[in-house]
Amino acid sequence: NAGVTQTPKFRILKIGQSMTLQCTQDMNHNYMYWYRQDPGMGLKLIYYSVGAGITDKGEVPNGYNVSRSTTEDFPLRLELAAPSQTSVYFCASSYRGPLNQPQHFGDGTRLSIL
Amino acid sequence: AQKVTQAQTEISVVEKEDVTLDCVYETRDTTYYLFWYKQPPSGELVFLIRRNSFDEQNEISGRYSWNFQKSTSSFNFTITASQVVDSAVYFCALSEAGEAGGTSYGKLTFGQGTILTVHP
C-alpha cells in the first residue's frame, strides 16, 4: 500500500521557470492538501481539495495553482518560480468523515529556486 | 483565527531523561481537534495522536503521554525515558470543526515545531 506518493523528491529551478509537483494517493481519500514547510517553521496550507473538481485556497496560495480531475491526483503548479518559493512541499490526504481524521503525508518534495 | 504556539524551539536531553513538549492553541470554535506529528531526520511526517476537544482524558501510549487541558488551552506531550530514536521535530496542530454546522474540511494549522535532540 503506497499511501501518498509525491514526485519528484528534489528539484532545482531557475527563476521564472514553471513546474508541476505531482501527488497521488491510493487510499480513496476525498480530502487532499498541499502544504509548504520553510526552514525552522511549521507547515502552511497552500491549497486543498474536498473532491474531484473542487479546490480552494489555503493560507499561502499566491504563486501556485492546483487542479483535481480525479480522486487520486492533486498536482500543484508553480507558474513563475521565485526564490521565495524555495521550500519543502508536502502533499497530504485524509478520509472524509467525522472527527476530522488524521492526514496522511507524502515524503515531501524539496524545491530550490536559484 | 486559529493559532498554535510551540514556545520551545529546541530541547536537548540525555537518553533516559523525561521530556515535555509544550503546545498552546487558540480557537473560537467549541469543537476542534488537536494533533501531534513527528518529523524524523528523514523528513516524513508521522501521525502520533488526535484528541477531540470534548474528550479531556489524558492518553498514554508506551513511553508517550499527552496532557490535554482546555482550561489553559494546552495539549502537552511527554516522552518518558527518552531514546536517541526520539530525536526529531515534533509538531502540534489544530483542526477546527467549522462554524455553525459547517466544516473546516480537516485543514490543519501547525505550530512552529520543537526540535528534540536526545544524546546517548
Side-chain angles (χ1 to χ4, degrees):
Chain A
N1 192 351
V4 179
T5 302
Q6 292 183 237
T7 57
K9 295 191 184 304
F10 305 94
R11 184 73 184 267
I12 299 174
L13 282 182
K14 293 182 179 179
I15 296 171
Q17 287 185 322
S18 61
M19 78 162 294
T20 299
L21 281 63
Q22 302 291 345
C23 176
T24 299
Q25 53 92 9
D26 62 359
M27 296 172 283
N28 202 32
H29 285 167
N30 298 93
Y31 296 169
M32 294 188 75
Y33 314 84
W34 275 105
Y35 295 89
R36 61 177 286 173
Q37 182 182 17
D38 297 327
M41 303 293 289
L43 283 71
K44 293 187 184 297
L45 183 65
I46 305 171
Y47 271 94
Y48 67 100
S49 170
V50 301
I54 307 171
T55 63
D56 204 352
K57 296 177 180 178
E59 183 182 356
V60 290
N62 291 343
Y64 307 95
N65 281 300
V66 294
S67 60
R68 182 104 179 263
S69 57
T70 67
T71 298
E72 295 78 19
D73 300 310
F74 189 39
L76 177 72
R77 181 147 180 94
L78 284 69
E79 291 293 350
L80 290 172
S84 61
Q85 294 177 305
T86 294
S87 191
V88 181
Y89 292 84
F90 287 97
C91 179
S93 71
S94 69
Y95 171 65
R96 176 186 177 181
L99 306 182
N100 288 27
Q101 300 298 314
Q103 293 181 18
H104 299 257
F105 285 83
D107 289 341
T109 294
R110 187 175 298 274
L111 180 62
S112 295
I113 299 166
L114 306 175
Chain B
Q2 64 271 29
K3 184 179 180 181
V4 176
T5 301
Q6 295 179 253
Q8 304 151 309
T9 304
E10 292 190 54
I11 300 176
S12 181
V13 299
V14 176
E15 207 168 23
K16 298 184 182 178
E17 284 186 33
D18 299 346
V19 56
T20 296
L21 283 62
D22 297 333
C23 173
V24 174
Y25 62 91
E26 297 176 27
T27 177
R28 294 182 180 178
D29 276 20
T30 57
T31 301
Y32 50 90
Y33 306 88
L34 296 162
F35 300 80
W36 277 94
Y37 281 86
K38 175 182 179 180
Q39 187 176 42
S42 50
E44 74 273 22
L45 282 150
V46 179
F47 165 73
L48 295 177
I49 190 172
R50 178 192 65 199
R51 173 61 70 208
N52 309 324
S53 58
F54 43 87
D55 180 4
E56 289 194 68
Q57 190 171 7
N58 292 329
E59 184 156 339
I60 298 174
S61 175
R63 295 184 298 106
Y64 295 172
S65 62
W66 291 269
N67 179 260
F68 176 36
Q69 292 194 338
K70 288 180 74 171
S71 60
T72 56
S73 297
S74 64
F75 186 43
N76 297 335
F77 173 31
T78 297
I79 302 174
T80 302
S82 60
Q83 300 177 1
V84 172
V85 293
D86 295 327
S87 295
V89 183
Y90 290 87
F91 291 100
C92 181
L94 167 71
S95 177
E96 295 176 330
E99 304 276 346
T103 177
S104 70
Y105 301 111
K107 293 178 291 181
L108 289 172
T109 297
F110 283 84
Q112 304 94 315
T114 297
I115 302 171
L116 174 64
T117 303
V118 182
H119 299 281

